[in-house]
Amino acid sequence: MQLTAPLDMHLHLRDGEMLTNIAKTSAQTFSGAIVMPNLVPPVSTKEEVVAYKTRIVDAIGDEKFTPYMTLFFKPNYDKAFLTSVRDEITAIKLYPAGITTNSEGGVSGFDVEELRPTLEAMSDLNIPLCVHGETNGFVMDREAEFVSIYERLATAFPKLKIIMEHITTKESVEALDQFENLYATITIHHLLITLDDVAGGMLKPHLFCKPIAKRPEDRSALLNVALQAHPKVMFGSDSAPHPQHAKEACGCAAGVFTAPIALQLLAELFENNNASIEKLEAFVSGNAQNIYGVNPINKIVTLEKKPFTVPSNYNGVVPMYADEEIAYSIKDVVTP
Ligand SMILES: [Zn+2]
């Protein structure tokens, strides 16, 4: 099985030692990725974007890989600033304040008039808005509650591309077809697990993430649009490494690390559901190219159906399915 130019449209590469330790796990198999800006402090100036990109390029070494950079949304970005930074970024990521790892400086109200100058400027400059869509309500209801905010934004800014990041609910899937300018990324873990896998038996810290995995009917809704490669959905791993001690702790950090096994798991998932390789390629590359207008590096990844035992850790980061066997292996990767 061959995949051409796989793209990960939602990735956390972190910074410093963690960046150095894990960047290649994405760069070896993906042509590029949308890199999230939630560092401490968040990436919010042109200088910070450029410097972060340089650190990423250093960390990936000889791998052929494009980091698509993002800024951390601030309601005070004006058109002059956005124009000056346009060429350095692919999108802007909006976090509700305090909702996930390093999101303390995010947006706390969703008053359309307050956000209008920045979102209109983004719309004019064709900068997509990526959104972590959760309220601060009950943990299982946060995403469904946020759908009304998506609707408000999509209606007020009809030309703005709004990406509902890492969707986990049937409500978000339904919203996709109701608004022309709403799109979504879906992770591999939310296609595979429900809350039962996280907390139904012994607690599994390495499957704990935000948004938390939901109900079987939610997973079915996600699977339905992913397997048919609905043109408005893209693969985005939300692979989010934390050191082992931060996951296996009293106060477990949110995030599932899937970057090194994402393509193998997708191959297995699509095969098990009788979905074609063409659909998989659209989900993991073609749709993102159409939605973002990106033209990725021509990387060809060959997967083979051969059991692969997932390592217990990658430089101190425990991946999903550590020490377990998965059905597909990466045979080789060529960049012609
Ligand atoms: Zn994320």
Side-chain angles (χ1 to χ4, degrees), residues 17-25 242-244 257 311-319:
E17 197 185 346
M18 182 61 90
L19 170 64
T20 309
N21 284 342
I22 57 93
K24 284 187 179 169
T25 63
H242 291 281
Q244 186 166 2
F257 182 57
S312 55
N313 73 86
Y314 289 83
N315 288 325
V317 180
V318 178

Side-chain angles (χ1 to χ4, degrees), residues 20-197:
T20 309
N21 284 342
I22 57 93
K24 284 187 179 169
T25 63
S26 289
Q28 280 161 353
T29 51
F30 286 91
S31 285
I34 294 267
V35 180
M36 291 297 146
N38 56 332
L39 306 181
V40 185
V43 180
S44 54
T45 66
K46 185 174 179 176
E47 294 68 33
E48 285 164 352
V49 175
V50 171
Y52 186 33
K53 186 173 183 178
T54 303
R55 297 197 295 278
I56 294 168
V57 169
D58 284 348
I60 62 181
D62 294 335
E63 301 295 340
K64 303 261 190 303
F65 175 83
T66 308
Y68 298 111
M69 304 304 293
T70 61
L71 275 177
F72 188 98
F73 181 90
K74 298 237 169 119
N76 63 356
Y77 289 155
D78 61 19
K79 192 157 188 184
F81 166 73
L82 292 171
T83 305
S84 75
V85 79
R86 179 68 190 97
D87 289 346
E88 303 296 338
I89 60 170
T90 304
I92 295 181
K93 174 76 182 287
L94 186 154
Y95 292 90
I99 204 73
T100 191
T101 309
N102 303 335
S103 65
E104 288 74 17
V107 173
S108 42
F110 281 89
D111 183 284
V112 165
E113 293 319 310
E114 221 169 276
L115 300 172
R116 185 174 294 281
T118 306
L119 294 182
E120 264 176 6
M122 287 175 60
S123 183
D124 291 348
L125 294 164
N126 195 23
I127 303 173
L129 178 73
C130 301
V131 182
H132 181 121
E134 288 193 289
T135 66
N136 55 9
F138 180 66
V139 69
M140 288 294 281
D141 298 335
R142 286 174 189 177
E143 184 177 299
E145 287 173 3
F146 199 89
V147 169
S148 64
I149 299 175
Y150 279 130
E151 291 174 357
R152 205 190 304 161
L153 294 175
T155 306
F157 307 99
K159 297 261 178 274
L160 178 67
K161 279 187 177 156
I162 300 171
I163 325 284
M164 303 186 284
E165 294 295 334
H166 43 55
I167 59 170
T168 61
T169 60
K170 60 182 188 327
E171 286 82 359
S172 296
V173 170
E174 283 159 14
L176 267 180
D177 287 324
Q178 287 162 11
F179 294 87
E180 209 181 322
N181 54 331
L182 283 185
Y183 302 84
T185 58
I186 303 179
T187 73
I188 180 64
H189 50 284
H190 290 115
L191 291 171
L192 291 171
I193 66 170
T194 68
L195 186 58
D196 245 14
D197 297 285

